[in-house]
Amino acid sequence: MDGNGRWAKARGLPRALGHKAGVDALRATVEAARDLGLSHLTVFSFSTENWNRPQSEIDALFDLLRMFVRRDLARLHKDGVRIRIIGSREGLSEDILALVDDAVETTKGNTRLTLNIAFNYGGRGELVAAIRDIARLVEAGNLKADQIDEAMISRSLWTADSPDPDLVIRTSGELRLSNFLLWSGAYAELIFMDLWWPDFTKESLEKAIDAFRRRDRRFGGLGA
Ligand code: FPP
């Protein structure tokens, strides 16, 4: 969800208001994803690298997450959205953890759309956590190194509950992954859109899906 800061700057507004507008775009996108029949939507809302930002901006982002869960949980639940959080619990306050745990628990039975919120997430950190878990099994003598395969690594990731993403969309014109879904996104189609996240609409999502449909996906083979 990139470009909130530049969206705000272009309007002479503080960055925090850009993130607030970003939450409005997120709300509309969740609704659009559900209406378009997507099964999973994963949004990058706070990266492990975002701790390098000024404390005031970090506080604003945490407040927005709190507000989003408090204000939107009932409606998301009613709309059949299952909320999952992917990321590290390290460094997060008790109140945030309790709030998101409650949202995950409340919505765990919903089946219409899974909304993965990547919060305190980094793709490399996700792999390190998975490798540590697997190494512990080896250390305890419960697993042999040769038994480690791709499926086991996928099952050990924070994204274990979700299928690999088909499509990764990055807004704001930047052309990089920035540590997002490094393992599970190995074969994702990448779409870069030249608009700031607060300007992302249902039409933007439809446009990205149309472009995705025209891609020839071969997964390393020769295709049909
Ligand atoms: C990137 O734009 C965006 C972020 C680092 C935060 C995204 C967060 C939200 C939209 C809301 C909070 C989360 C939830 C789940 C309610 P940027 O700040 O890097 O913008 P810039 O590149 O233009 O400076």
Side-chain angles (χ1 to χ4, degrees), residues 105-157:
E105 181 62 26
T106 304
T107 61
K108 68 178 182 198
N110 294 339
T111 54
R112 189 135 179 221
L113 171 74
T114 295
L115 172 64
N116 288 318
I117 301 178
F119 199 83
N120 204 15
Y121 175 87
R124 289 184 173 181
E126 179 179 35
L127 277 167
V128 170
I131 291 165
R132 281 192 184 142
D133 284 348
I134 294 171
R136 277 186 205 106
L137 295 175
V138 176
E139 218 170 43
N142 294 327
L143 183 74
K144 295 209 183 329
D146 287 345
Q147 291 174 298
I148 301 169
D149 58 12
E150 292 187 11
M152 171 176 275
I153 293 178
S154 292
R155 278 197 310 273
S156 308
L157 297 173

Side-chain angles (χ1 to χ4, degrees), residues 1-6 15 19 23 45 50 53 61 65 68:
M1 299 190 283
D2 198 13
N4 298 337
R6 280 163 287 172
R15 290 178 60 83
H19 294 312
V23 178
S45 60
N50 287 152
R53 295 195 176 197
L61 284 168
L65 177 70
F68 179 70

Side-chain angles (χ1 to χ4, degrees), residues 216 218 220-224:
D216 178 20
R218 293 189 299 279
L222 295 181

Side-chain angles (χ1 to χ4, degrees), residues 201-217:
T201 60
K202 183 176 187 182
E203 286 68 42
S204 318
L205 182 60
E206 284 173 328
K207 214 167 133 186
I209 293 172
D210 276 350
F212 167 80
R213 286 207 179 102
R214 289 193 298 273
R215 299 273 176 97
D216 178 20
R217 305 190 81 198

Side-chain angles (χ1 to χ4, degrees), residues 1-9 15 18-26 43-47 50 53 57 60-69 115 117-119 170-172 174 176 196-198:
M1 299 190 283
D2 198 13
N4 298 337
R6 280 163 287 172
W7 180 92
K9 194 172 170 211
R15 290 178 60 83
H19 294 312
K20 190 163 174 287
V23 178
D24 295 337
L26 171 61
V43 293
F44 204 174
S45 60
F46 189 82
S47 77
N50 287 152
R53 295 195 176 197
E57 182 162 344
L61 284 168
F62 280 54
D63 280 349
L64 283 173
L65 177 70
R66 282 188 188 94
M67 246 158 47
F68 179 70
V69 175
L115 172 64
I117 301 178
F119 199 83
R170 178 159 191 170
T171 54
S172 94
E174 308 287 0
R176 54 180 175 270
W196 291 317
W197 172 253

